[in-house]
């Protein structure tokens, strides 16, 4: 029931953050949501959750299945590199294109939808209330600015209002869908030895997206690059990581 509430809240807040650019019908750059302290804390939480919770858990589950190759680390690294490549691809196309067209908008939606699905699955797979609540806060803090930015790009693209808004709603559905998927996998594994391969595989993939969101997401605009010299915001990154490190002692 709690995860249903989390999924619904994320969906509604995603729509709330992105609705303004659509109905303003503006082609100009709008001022994004500015929640630097929350986003900085979220980066630390994502980094700690990926390294201290999900990656280790995935590796342990795969070892219990008799897989001694570091598959969890391979999947995590592959997702990390995929997001880095997609973001560089989108950035290069954005700077070389003279207009905002559908191609760039589709890259943005696809990339954000994939990591929304995977971050949602991490929330759905979590069976500890404290960890789940912290992940929920981190995702929400990140979603506000991200959703607004995606809506801006869709509004600027050369597509109809109906198409642009449909793509945004599809993106908004990805995190709740991921939560449902993760929860179903977690429930199906209860009472079985090892839980099969789906749970550790999705956990490793989610770890990859969390590590990327906590480090390089946004490239030169990411918190760890842009705000690292600001001790106030960087201290929130450290705080988020420390919170997850402490929780790893008890869960």
């Amino acid at each position: 029931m709690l995860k249903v509430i989390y999924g619904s809240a994320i969906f509604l807040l995603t729509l709330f953050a992105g609705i303004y650019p659509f109905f303003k019908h503006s082609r100009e750059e709008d001022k994004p949501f500015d929640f630097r302290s929350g986003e900085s804390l979220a980066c630390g939480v994502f980094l700690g959750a990926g390294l201290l919770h999900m990656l280790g858990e995935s590796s342990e589950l795969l070892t219990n299945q008799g897989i001694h190759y570091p598959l969890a680390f391979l999947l995590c690294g592959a997702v990390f590199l995929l997001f880095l490549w997609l973001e560089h691809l989108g950035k290069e196309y954005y700077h070389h294109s003279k207009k905002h067209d559908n191609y760039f908008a589709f890259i943005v939606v696809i990339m954000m939808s994939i990591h929304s699905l995977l971050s949602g699955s991490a929330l759905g797979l979590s069976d500890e209330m404290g960890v789940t609540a912290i992940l929920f806060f981190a995702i929400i803090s990140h979603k506000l600015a991200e959703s607004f930015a995606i809506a801006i790009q869709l509004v600027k693209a050369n597509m109809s209002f109906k198409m642009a808004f449909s793509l945004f709603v599809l993106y908004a559905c990805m995190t709740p869908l991921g939560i449902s998927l993760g929860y179903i996998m977690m429930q199906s594994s209860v009472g079985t030895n090892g839980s099969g391969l789906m749970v550790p595989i999705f956990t490793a993939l989610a770890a990859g997206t969390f590590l990327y969101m906590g480090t390089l997401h946004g490239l030169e605009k990411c918190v760890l690059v842009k705000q690292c010299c600001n001790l106030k915001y960087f201290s929130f990154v450290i705080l988020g990581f420390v919170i997850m490190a402490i929780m790893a002692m008890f869960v």
Side-chain angles (χ1 to χ4, degrees):
M1 182 62 185
L2 185 60
K3 291 182 180 179
V4 173
I5 295 174
Y6 284 162
S8 301
I10 291 172
F11 177 74
L12 292 175
L13 285 171
T14 301
L15 288 181
F16 168 77
I19 205 80
Y20 175 72
F22 280 103
F23 290 97
K24 185 184 177 186
H25 295 290
S26 173
R27 298 285 170 170
E28 301 298 324
E29 290 288 346
D30 290 282
K31 185 179 179 180
F33 282 95
D34 192 2
F35 187 25
R36 294 182 185 179
S37 298
E39 286 191 80
S40 298
L41 184 65
C43 282
V45 169
F46 287 143
L47 190 59
L51 288 173
L52 302 173
H53 292 264
M54 289 180 279
L55 197 52
E57 179 184 346
S58 174
S59 180
E60 182 180 358
L61 289 173
L62 288 169
T63 301
N64 291 340
Q65 292 289 320
I67 300 175
H68 299 288
Y69 180 83
L71 181 61
F73 299 90
L74 173 67
L75 293 173
C76 176
V79 168
F80 187 96
L81 292 174
L82 172 64
F83 285 136
L84 181 60
W85 177 73
L86 285 173
E87 194 148 3
H88 273 293
L89 179 66
K91 181 182 177 182
E92 288 298 312
Y93 187 82
Y94 178 84
H95 286 302
H96 288 90
S97 178
K98 295 183 179 180
K99 60 182 180 179
H100 294 272
D101 59 19
N102 296 353
Y103 182 72
F104 176 71
F106 279 124
I107 290 177
V108 172
V109 171
I110 289 171
M111 178 181 175
M112 296 303 124
S113 294
I114 293 173
H115 88 50
S116 292
L117 180 70
L118 292 175
S119 60
S121 70
L123 191 61
L125 285 166
S126 176
D127 57 357
E128 296 290 336
M129 288 187 63
V131 174
T132 303
I134 293 174
L135 291 181
F136 169 73
F137 171 78
I139 290 172
I140 284 295
S141 300
H142 181 76
K143 274 283 183 185
L144 291 174
E146 180 182 276
S147 302
F148 192 89
I150 290 174
I152 291 290
Q153 296 303 326
L154 287 170
V155 167
K156 289 180 176 179
N158 296 317
M159 64 178 70
S160 66
F161 176 87
K162 183 178 180 180
M163 171 66 77
F165 193 70
S166 296
L167 286 173
F168 183 77
V169 172
L170 178 64
Y171 155 76
C173 291
M174 287 297 105
T175 302
L177 180 62
I179 294 174
S180 300
L181 182 62
Y183 181 75
I184 290 171
M185 286 190 293
M186 184 185 71
Q187 291 300 309
S188 65
S189 70
V190 174
T192 64
N193 280 331
S195 74
L197 293 176
M198 290 304 295
V199 169
I201 285 175
F202 263 83
T203 302
L205 295 174
T209 194
F210 269 37
L211 287 178
Y212 187 76
M213 290 163 66
T215 54
L216 296 182
H217 179 49
L219 299 178
E220 72 274 4
K221 295 181 181 179
C222 70
V223 171
L224 290 188
V225 173
K226 189 175 181 180
Q227 306 293 346
C228 66
C229 292
N230 187 315
L231 293 181
K232 173 185 174 182
Y233 297 123
F234 193 64
S235 65
F236 278 102
V237 176
I238 296 172
L239 176 62
F241 186 83
V242 168
I243 289 173
M244 300 312 292
I246 292 173
M247 296 198 72
M249 299 169 61
F250 303 101
V251 298

